[in-house]
Amino acid sequence: MALHSRARREEGGLAEDGGDRREDDVGGRGDQHRERLLAALTLIAGLGLLLALPFALQAGDSFFLPTTAAIVIAIAMVPALEWMERHRVPSGLAALLCVLFFLAAVNVALASIVVPAWQWVRILPERIDQIQANLSPVIDFYANLERFVNKTLRQIADAPQRQQVAPVAPPRSIVELFATSAPSAFIEMFFAVLVIYFFLAGWTRTRRAAITRRASFGGAMATARVIQDVVDDTSAYLGTITIINVCLGLSVAGALSLIDMPTPLMWGGIVALLNYIPYFGPIMAAMLLALGGLMTFNDIWLALLPAAIMVAFHLIEANVITPMVVGHRLTINPILILISLSFWGWVWGTPGALLAVPLLIIIQTVLDAAGRPDIAGFLFEHGTLIHGPGDERPRMSRTAPPNQKAGDGPVDTPGSGP
């Protein structure tokens, strides 16, 4: 009887242990399903926001474009602001000095580029015959292609046309153009200047509040590190690239002055400005210089010399100077640069292309600290975020079950030892 009772108690204990284990397995699977459902909802909401964001930015460009440009410029000027504050300059006065320096730089750039460029645009109709004369060898070489194009164009012109809505008449004078378009541009510029000033004036207070309001010391340190990384990377990129582009523009202007190219400083400014746009900017600058050469010189080879000079200087800058100065700290994936250029250029045009790389640096810095969406992990495993290389996160073993507690012994798996 004693043996029978003891066996019955052992069977009851095994059954109770098995029931607890099954309940733990069911609870663990329920937690995994719940986490996967939340991750799926988060991913769907993120994709919806990502698809709707470009159209919202494009529709509200009169607000989002100056605001974004002002924030990027203000972030780039934060080191100068902090330097003045360390030398006991009040925050409001330091912000005002930064804004005045920015406005002075913009005015110098406009005076050296826009005013001479307007003269080139004004004389362009008068130089059409000279451009055609310079391009006559190329036109003769492609004479057959020209005849084919003319024939195709005549066929299209002779085809019946659908009735179209009459376009809006263009402005008939400079006064009308200024009255219709300049006020909005002036308001956006004034708004951007105000954003830069108030962003810089309240920078120290806002940063301190963002750090001290964290619930934990680790969260405060992470917030401080992200803010500092964004400021350092953005200001380092824009400051370094600005110095490189100014030197490139001055070098091109000096070389153009040696061949008697009119307004060389304007062409150097155009080269420096367009060099902020990776890949596409130098191509546009070379095309504009080729057009200017065709308008100036009578020989086609001499007319193409300004563009050749610019390309030569750009190759030296892109392959020798920039890698040596920038180094690997600000190296960005070229695919990400092309995607950023295409996206922001489509949303905001040329200003968006100028802001593409700084915005890419800011977004990439924030995502490296907060965690990037792990699409492959969501689809094939259980992870949803990838953190930076400095973060150490526990990984689950391939053999240990998810419900194994710390301190338990090893779990037997098929094919393991006895």
Side-chain angles (χ1 to χ4, degrees), residues 375-395:
I375 305 299
F378 170 76
L379 293 176
F380 304 108
E381 208 171 348
H382 53 269
T384 56
L385 291 177
I386 298 178
H387 288 263
D391 297 337
E392 295 182 358
R393 300 179 65 84
R395 295 184 179 181

Side-chain angles (χ1 to χ4, degrees), residues 141-161:
F141 182 76
Y142 291 101
N144 294 330
L145 179 61
E146 182 185 6
R147 285 195 293 269
F148 172 76
V149 171
N150 290 335
K151 181 180 178 181
T152 304
L153 291 176
R154 283 196 299 271
Q155 292 177 354
I156 295 175
D158 294 339
Q161 300 289 330

Side-chain angles (χ1 to χ4, degrees), residues 318-401:
N319 295 286
V320 178
I321 298 177
T322 299
M324 181 176 61
V325 174
V326 176
H328 297 285
R329 182 170 179 264
L330 295 177
T331 302
I332 308 175
N333 192 339
I335 297 179
L336 293 179
I337 293 178
L338 289 175
I339 293 175
S340 182
L341 283 173
S342 302
F343 176 79
W344 295 109
W346 169 64
V347 172
W348 289 331
T350 303
L354 291 172
L355 295 171
V357 178
L359 289 175
L360 177 61
I361 292 175
I362 294 174
I363 294 173
Q364 192 172 10
T365 303
V366 174
L367 290 181
D368 286 340
R372 292 167 293 176
D374 182 15
I375 305 299
F378 170 76
L379 293 176
F380 304 108
E381 208 171 348
H382 53 269
T384 56
L385 291 177
I386 298 178
H387 288 263
D391 297 337
E392 295 182 358
R393 300 179 65 84
R395 295 184 179 181
M396 298 182 64
S397 173
R398 293 194 178 199
T399 57

Side-chain angles (χ1 to χ4, degrees), residues 196-378:
I196 293 174
Y197 173 77
F198 287 111
F199 184 94
L200 293 175
W203 166 255
T204 303
R205 183 174 60 255
T206 304
R207 183 184 61 178
R208 186 183 298 114
I211 295 174
T212 56
R213 289 179 182 176
R214 300 303 96 191
S216 63
F217 178 76
M221 293 300 296
T223 303
R225 185 170 58 250
V226 171
I227 293 175
Q228 193 63 40
D229 289 343
V230 169
V231 171
D232 291 344
D233 292 345
T234 306
S235 59
Y237 171 80
L238 288 178
T240 306
I241 295 300
T242 298
I243 294 174
I244 292 175
N245 291 348
V246 169
C247 294
L248 175 64
L250 292 176
S251 301
V252 172
L256 293 178
S257 64
L258 295 178
I259 62 173
D260 296 331
M261 183 76 173
T263 61
L265 191 60
M266 181 207 73
W267 293 112
I270 291 176
V271 170
L273 181 62
L274 292 179
N275 204 50
Y276 280 100
I277 306 175
Y279 308 126
F280 301 105
I283 297 175
M284 296 170 59
M287 294 174 62
L288 290 175
L289 277 169
L291 179 61
L294 292 172
M295 294 172 59
T296 304
F297 303 104
N298 295 324
D299 185 15
I300 185 172
W301 301 111
L302 186 59
L304 296 179
L305 185 59
I309 291 174
M310 181 267 156
V311 171
F313 276 101
H314 171 70
L315 290 177
I316 297 174
E317 173 266 324
N319 295 286
V320 178
I321 298 177
T322 299
M324 181 176 61
V325 174
V326 176
H328 297 285
R329 182 170 179 264
L330 295 177
T331 302
I332 308 175
N333 192 339
I335 297 179
L336 293 179
I337 293 178
L338 289 175
I339 293 175
S340 182
L341 283 173
S342 302
F343 176 79
W344 295 109
W346 169 64
V347 172
W348 289 331
T350 303
L354 291 172
L355 295 171
V357 178
L359 289 175
L360 177 61
I361 292 175
I362 294 174
I363 294 173
Q364 192 172 10
T365 303
V366 174
L367 290 181
D368 286 340
R372 292 167 293 176
D374 182 15
I375 305 299
F378 170 76

Side-chain angles (χ1 to χ4, degrees), residues 23 55 65 73 99 110 114 124 141 179 291 396 404:
E23 290 178 0
F55 300 98
L65 176 57
I73 295 170
V99 171
L110 291 177
V114 175
L124 178 59
F141 182 76
L291 179 61
M396 298 182 64
Q404 183 180 359

